[in-house]
Amino acid sequence: MLAKVFPIKLKDGNQAVAEQIVQEFAPKGPGTEEGTLSFRVYRDPANPDYLLFVEHFANQAAYDAHTGSAAYKELIAGRFADLIVEFVEIDHQLLVSL
């Protein structure tokens, strides 16, 4: 399994727009992808204009399919990317899961 974590700082005042795009993307992208095991996006109520993506994929090929999808290109690499100040892509390996 491949785990990806993305802390994302948004441009000031774009929290609501970013959340709308993510909510539109979820059922069109990850919701239809066989190799996407989970797709979670968190907001921090104490930190405006920030989102945390936590995603799990069956393998690298599933992640590549996810980022190569038409929905990803339109909504995440397209509209959402315009709202980002910076993000970091962090790979993780699962240690414990209950």
Side-chain angles (χ1 to χ4, degrees):
M1 179 179 60
L2 179 63
K4 297 276 192 176
V5 177
F6 301 90
I8 299 174
K9 173 64 179 144
L10 303 167
K11 294 177 184 173
D12 291 347
N14 282 288
Q15 184 78 34
V17 174
E19 288 183 14
Q20 180 183 12
I21 293 169
V22 169
Q23 290 182 5
E24 181 181 349
F25 172 65
K28 292 180 181 179
T32 66
E33 299 163 355
E34 189 174 313
T36 299
L37 305 177
S38 71
F39 178 80
R40 296 184 171 106
V41 181
Y42 300 89
R43 74 167 69 103
D44 179 350
N47 186 9
D49 299 313
Y50 169 85
L51 291 173
L52 178 68
F53 284 55
V54 179
E55 307 173 36
H56 296 92
F57 301 92
N59 51 38
Q60 183 65 47
Y63 178 69
D64 293 343
H66 168 74
T67 57
S69 73
Y72 183 92
K73 289 176 183 177
E74 174 195 349
L75 296 167
I76 300 302
R79 291 175 25 207
F80 185 82
D82 291 337
L83 307 176
I84 295 174
V85 171
E86 69 177 338
F87 79 97
V88 178
E89 179 177 338
I90 306 168
D91 291 343
H92 287 75
Q93 292 180 332
L94 181 64
L95 181 61
V96 175
S97 177
L98 300 174

